[in-house]
Amino acid sequence: MQKITTVTTTVPTGDDDGPMRGTQLAQREQDLAAHGRAGYSLHNTQTVTGQERVTFVDTLTRDDSE
């Protein structure tokens, strides 16, 4: 059986938001690494761009034997 999960990260794009952007991207990296340690593989990444932020939606999958 295949399990599917998502990691959603919203990152500000404003010039004054550099520190927050860095924090959010570091958290995304940690979340993806944690899922990787749990056996998930990154299947797809979609980005949704807005005026003040970008949202990353990462889809991860894992095959579990029954």
Side-chain angles (χ1 to χ4, degrees):
M1 173 189 276
Q2 187 176 60
K3 291 191 176 185
I4 300 171
T5 191
T6 59
V7 174
T8 303
T9 308
T10 302
V11 180
T13 58
D15 291 339
D16 297 331
D17 294 322
M20 182 181 281
R21 183 172 40 251
T23 300
Q24 294 296 77
L25 291 173
Q27 182 62 49
R28 175 178 178 243
E29 185 176 339
Q30 291 174 4
D31 289 345
L32 292 175
H35 279 84
R37 288 189 296 275
Y40 282 91
S41 297
L42 181 62
H43 180 75
N44 188 29
T45 299
Q46 293 291 314
T47 57
V48 180
T49 305
Q51 289 184 349
E52 298 178 5
R53 63 189 55 87
V54 173
T55 300
F56 296 90
V57 181
D58 299 297
T59 303
L60 301 104
T61 59
R62 179 175 78 185
D63 290 321
D64 287 342
S65 300
E66 291 189 58

